[in-house]
C-alpha cells in the first residue's frame, strides 16, 4: 500500500521502474491509500487480519484480508523533551528535526547537530559518521572540509537493486534547468540473465550531465544486479569531478553491468530506442 509515491526523495523514473519490475513479479501495489484500522479475525501462524484503508485523495474505503501486516511508519526526531527551547534552538515543528547551515550549525551559533536529526538531510549512518568526523576536525583540528550531502552513494535493496549518487533528475532540472542538462541512458541485459532469458530490457542505467560545466556528471543512477557495488566505485569518480568525456575514455570490463556506463551514447532528448538485444 503506497500513500503517495514510491521511494520519496529518489529519482522517480528509477522508482517507477523498480515498481514495474516488482509488479511483473507478482507484487500488487495499492496506490494512494493508507491503512486506518487492522483487526484480528483469526489467531495462528499465520492468522487472519482484516485491513481497512482510506484513500488519500477522496472518501473511498478499501477492505482486505491478509495473514501478515507490516507497517513502515517512518520516524520523527525525539527533540521536544531535551530542553532545546531553553537555549533557543529551533526545530521543524512537523517532524522535530533540526535545521542547520552547511557547517551543521543550528540557529544558536555554539550548538551543532549531525546525522538523522538534520532537517532535509539524508538518514544514512555513513553520512552521520562522515559528518561527525569532519565537524570534529573543523572544531578542534583546524580542518575546513564540509560534509557533502549531494554526492552521497546509496542503494535501495529492492528486488531489482537501485544505486544512485548525486541528484535525481527532477532535482537536477529544478536546480539547473532542463535546457542545461543532457541525460544519457540505456537499458541493459546482465550476462547471467541471458541464458535463462530473464527480464530482458529491465535493467537501466542513466547519467545526468551539466552541459555548461564540461558535461560534468551530477546524477548517476543504475538498476540491476549488485547496483550498490557498481555505485560505490563510480561515486569516487563523481567526487573527483567525473565528466561524460572521461567516462567515454574509460575502458569497460566485459561483460559486467558497470560497463554500460562507458558506452552510453543515446540521450533522452534524441528520443532514440534504448532497447538491447544482447549482453
Amino acid at each position: 500500500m503506497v500513500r503517495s509515491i514510491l521511494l520519496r526523495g529518489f529519482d522517480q523514473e528509477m522508482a517507477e521502474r523498480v515498481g514495474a519490475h516488482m509488479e511483473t513479479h507478482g507484487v500488487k501495489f495499492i496506490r494512494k491509500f493508507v491503512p486506518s484500522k487492522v483487526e484480528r479475525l483469526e489467531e495462528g501462524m499465520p492468522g487472519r487480519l482484516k485491513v481497512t484503508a482510506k484513500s488519500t485523495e477522496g472518501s473511498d474505503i478499501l477492505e482486505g484480508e491478509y495473514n501478515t501486516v507490516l507497517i513502515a511508519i517512518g520516524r520523527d526526531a525525539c527533540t521536544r523533551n531535551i530542553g532545546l527551547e531553553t537555549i533557543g534552538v529551533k526545530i521543524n515543528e512537523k517532524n522535530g528535526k533540526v535545521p542547520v547551515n552547511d557547517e551543521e550549525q543550528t540557529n544558536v551559533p555554539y550548538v551543532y547537530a549531525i546525522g538523522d536529526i538534520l532537517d532535509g538531510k539524508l538518514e544514512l549512518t555513513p553520512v552521520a559518521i562522515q559528518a561527525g568526523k569532519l565537524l570534529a576536525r573543523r572544531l578542534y583540528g583546524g580542518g575546513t572540509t564540509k560534509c557533502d550531502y549531494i554526492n552521497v552513494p546509496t542503494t535501495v535493496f529492492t528486488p531489482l537493486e537501485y544505486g544512485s549518487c548525486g541528484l535525481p533528475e527532477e532535482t537536477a532540472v529544478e536546480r539547473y534547468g532542463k535546457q542545461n542538462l543532457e541525460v544519457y541512458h540505456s537499458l541493459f541485459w546482465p550476462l547471467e540473465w541471458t541464458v535463462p532469458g530473464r527480464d530482458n530490457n529491465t535493467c537501466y542505467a542513466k547519467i545526468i550531465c551539466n552541459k555548461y560545466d564540461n558535461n560534468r556528471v551530477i546524477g548517476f543512477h543504475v538498476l540491476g544486479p549488485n547496483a550498490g557495488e557498481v555505485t560505490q566505485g563510480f561515486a569516487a569518480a563523481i567526487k573527483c569531478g567525473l565528466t561524460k568525456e572521461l567516462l567515454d575514455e574509460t575502458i569497460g570490463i566485459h561483460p559486467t553491468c558497470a560497463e554500460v556506463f562507458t558506452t552510453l551514447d543515446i540521450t533522452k532528448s534524441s528520443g532514440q530506442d534504448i532497447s538491447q538485444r544482447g549482453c
Side-chain angles (χ1 to χ4, degrees):
M1 191 172 290
V2 186
R3 70 166 182 241
S4 54
I5 59 176
L6 298 173
L7 300 180
R8 179 179 298 280
F10 289 91
D11 186 290
Q12 281 303 291
E13 178 185 23
M14 309 304 284
E16 285 301 319
R17 286 181 179 272
V18 168
H21 175 266
M22 292 173 68
E23 287 178 319
T24 299
H25 288 265
V27 177
K28 298 176 182 177
F29 288 101
I30 303 172
R31 293 179 182 257
K32 301 295 178 72
F33 274 85
V34 292
S36 58
K37 184 168 60 174
V38 180
E39 304 168 89
R40 185 182 298 279
L41 300 179
E42 183 180 308
E43 298 285 347
M45 292 293 289
R48 283 197 306 131
L49 300 165
K50 178 182 177 181
V51 176
T52 302
K54 59 182 180 180
S55 170
T56 60
E57 296 185 333
S59 58
D60 291 349
I61 299 293
L62 282 179
E63 294 181 342
E65 291 187 15
Y66 307 91
N67 60 31
T68 304
V69 175
L70 174 67
I71 301 178
I73 60 171
R75 48 188 161 157
D76 286 347
C78 300
T79 55
R80 291 182 172 86
N81 300 308
I82 60 175
L84 292 182
E85 70 284 353
T86 305
I87 56 173
V89 175
K90 293 180 180 178
I91 65 172
N92 180 335
E93 291 297 338
K94 183 178 179 181
N95 57 23
K97 293 198 171 189
V98 181
V100 295
N101 62 16
D102 63 353
E103 294 190 353
E104 288 87 36
Q105 195 173 35
T106 69
N107 65 296
V108 177
Y110 55 86
V111 178
Y112 296 79
I114 59 169
D116 293 9
I117 202 173
L118 299 188
D119 194 30
K121 297 294 193 291
L122 299 165
E123 296 177 341
L124 296 169
T125 299
V127 174
I129 293 171
Q130 179 80 332
K133 286 180 180 178
L134 295 176
L135 176 60
R137 290 170 188 167
R138 291 197 307 275
L139 292 177
Y140 305 110
T144 58
T145 304
K146 302 173 186 178
C147 185
D148 180 357
Y149 288 99
I150 296 175
N151 294 312
V152 176
T154 188
T155 301
V156 185
F157 294 99
T158 33
L160 183 63
E161 199 168 307
Y162 169 30
S164 70
C165 185
L167 299 176
E169 188 172 346
E170 297 88 356
T171 306
V173 169
E174 182 180 318
R175 187 168 300 182
Y176 294 100
K178 189 173 183 179
Q179 71 280 5
N180 298 320
L181 304 175
E182 197 71 89
V183 179
Y184 295 85
H185 65 154
S186 180
L187 293 164
F188 64 94
W189 202 11
L191 178 65
E192 62 267 34
W193 290 11
T194 62
V195 174
R198 180 188 306 152
D199 292 321
N200 189 11
N201 287 312
T202 300
C203 297
Y204 181 66
K206 175 171 75 172
I207 59 170
I208 304 158
C209 300
N210 184 346
K211 289 195 290 189
Y212 297 100
D213 186 11
N214 199 29
N215 253 344
R216 183 170 60 89
V217 177
I218 59 174
F220 175 98
H221 302 272
V222 59
L223 292 175
N226 308 305
E229 304 291 350
V230 172
T231 304
Q232 183 70 85
F234 280 105
I238 292 170
K239 287 287 289 180
C240 293
L242 180 66
T243 64
K244 179 62 169 64
E245 182 181 9
L246 285 171
L247 269 179
D248 292 342
E249 291 175 359
T250 301
I251 296 173
I253 303 171
H254 190 70
T256 64
C257 293
E259 178 189 23
V260 68
F261 286 100
T262 68
T263 60
L264 292 173
D265 59 2
I266 297 177
T267 64
K268 268 194 174 183
S269 57
S270 74
Q272 293 181 43
D273 183 22
I274 58 172
S275 301
Q276 304 294 308
R277 293 170 181 82
C279 65

